[in-house]
Amino acid sequence: MKKFLTFGVLAILTSGFIFAQTSSLQEPNPENVGADSAMASLREVSLDKFEREGSWKVHISSDDGTIAARLFEGSPSMKEPLAEDEGKEDEDKMVYGVRVDFFKRGKNSFTIKSARPIPIEGTTKTISLWVCGRNQSHDMYVLVQDYFGSNFELYLGNLGFSGWKKLTCVVPPSPDGEHGIVQSSAYYGDKPGLKVLGFRIDCNPMQARGSYYMYLDDLRAVTDLYDMENHDEDDMLDNW
């Protein structure tokens, strides 16, 4: 009886350990990303400030509704400029507005895509975006393309809030350099490892009616630039 009791306790402890490991892999903490290596040079960089007409395109199925987008003057008051942007606030005065007019309730979705993929230097750890969601509980995803050209979607968050909010998602590291989101490889030369393609909004079927407005600003990423900043001047680049 003692043997069975001891074996049961060990089994529970082991399964708890495995679950903890699995949970931590599925739900990475942005604060811990990059903390497991001393060889890191994390930096927050700007990807797009939504200041130019024609840089983004919107789409919704013609069966679900109509969609339009344009720039507006404005900015989240809580947004803090990057160090290199201090004193240049007058150059960042626009936000990107999107309006959707739904034909009917249903499992509708629409996309906001960059006219050109946005490359991110280094190894991307997190992607963030300021969003004004108008308190509708739709789900927002960022669409990315990895080193091998594979497309992925990362959950940014639910839009059920009023006013501006900064949404952030973690880019999970590849477990072996071949599966998941791969950002670099020693076998295939040197080029930007991650590109942002755009965003997808999956609408709450009960709230996908009438007109819906949302606004975007200041797309950023936290990236590890250690390899780039510590590249020897006399070392060749593997990009030919």
Side-chain angles (χ1 to χ4, degrees):
M1 182 68 180
K2 247 184 182 181
K3 277 188 179 178
F4 285 112
L5 184 60
T6 305
F7 178 80
V9 172
L10 286 173
I12 292 171
L13 290 174
T14 305
S15 63
F17 176 71
I18 294 172
F19 174 79
Q21 280 191 321
T22 306
S23 177
S24 65
L25 287 174
Q26 292 177 343
E27 302 173 2
N29 186 344
E31 297 178 0
N32 294 334
V33 175
D36 57 346
S37 174
M39 292 170 48
S41 179
L42 300 181
R43 184 185 301 174
E44 188 175 27
V45 297
S46 175
L47 302 181
D48 195 280
K49 298 177 182 177
F50 299 93
E51 297 292 310
R52 297 172 297 169
E53 289 281 4
S55 297
W56 294 84
K57 300 178 180 180
V58 292
H59 174 77
I60 189 172
S61 171
S62 57
D63 295 330
D64 297 335
T66 61
I67 190 168
R70 51 166 289 198
L71 295 178
F72 291 88
E73 285 195 15
S75 182
S77 60
M78 297 175 290
K79 182 178 69 174
E80 297 182 0
L82 296 174
E84 57 266 27
D85 292 334
E86 290 184 2
K88 302 178 181 178
E89 287 77 9
D90 57 334
E91 299 177 10
D92 182 12
K93 58 182 180 180
M94 309 297 286
V95 300
Y96 190 67
V98 179
R99 170 179 171 168
V100 179
D101 294 293
F102 296 105
F103 291 155
K104 60 182 184 297
R105 288 180 179 176
K107 293 185 177 180
N108 306 322
S109 65
F110 60 93
T111 58
I112 306 167
K113 290 190 175 182
S114 176
R116 295 181 178 179
I118 304 173
I120 308 175
E121 292 184 324
T123 302
T124 306
K125 302 297 183 179
T126 66
I127 298 172
S128 65
L129 177 75
W130 281 92
V131 182
C132 186
R134 288 294 184 259
N135 203 24
Q136 299 289 320
S137 59
H138 307 316
D139 290 318
M140 188 169 186
Y141 298 82
V142 57
L143 309 177
V144 299
Q145 188 177 84
D146 76 351
Y147 185 89
F148 292 133
S150 300
N151 295 332
F152 297 87
E153 56 185 46
L154 300 172
Y155 183 62
L156 264 179
N158 187 273
L159 304 181
F161 54 86
S162 298
W164 287 98
K165 182 179 180 181
K166 184 179 182 180
L167 302 181
T168 303
C169 69
V170 170
V171 180
S174 169
D176 56 7
E178 295 184 7
H179 301 87
I181 301 179
V182 180
Q183 299 195 52
S184 62
S185 174
Y187 304 105
Y188 299 100
D190 180 27
K191 59 182 179 180
L194 195 69
K195 297 181 179 72
V196 174
L197 303 180
F199 311 96
R200 192 187 75 243
I201 293 83
D202 291 343
C203 303
N204 183 324
M206 297 304 296
Q207 296 181 335
R209 60 173 180 164
S211 299
Y212 175 65
Y213 298 85
M214 67 180 300
Y215 302 88
L216 313 178
D217 194 31
D218 207 14
L219 176 63
R220 297 183 183 182
V222 173
T223 179
D224 182 3
L225 299 174
Y226 180 87
D227 289 337
M228 300 182 66
E229 293 180 348
N230 292 275
H231 187 85
D232 292 335
E233 293 181 2
D234 59 350
D235 192 3
M236 287 68 68
L237 293 174
D238 299 333
N239 59 2
W240 52 278

